[in-house]
Amino acid sequence: MTAHVQQLHRVNNLCAGLEWVADCPNRLARKALLQLIGEEVGFVLEGVICASEQKIPGGRPPA
């Protein structure tokens, strides 16, 4: 459970970085950074959800 909470804190920190990225004056850099942050947040959340479902009785079996 501690690892899940740490991952969620990581997502929170990535989301906080979005404010900085939004102010980036270079449109192409901003687009690339937003894509990277979005992918990282997605991967972390997917991992947390999958791990949580495995611990819940009757939860979704791993894909």
Side-chain angles (χ1 to χ4, degrees), residues 7-21 33-34 36-45:
Q7 289 292 68
L8 292 174
H9 282 296
R10 184 172 180 201
V11 169
N12 190 43
N13 291 338
L14 288 168
C15 291
L18 287 174
E19 184 176 327
W20 180 85
V21 171
L33 290 169
L34 287 173
L36 287 172
I37 290 173
E39 289 175 2
E40 185 67 21
V41 168
F43 288 137
V44 171
L45 289 175

Side-chain angles (χ1 to χ4, degrees), residues 35-56:
Q35 184 174 353
L36 287 172
I37 290 173
E39 289 175 2
E40 185 67 21
V41 168
F43 288 137
V44 171
L45 289 175
E46 185 178 321
V48 170
I49 290 167
C50 183
S52 295
E53 286 176 341
Q54 289 177 358
K55 293 183 183 280
I56 298 172

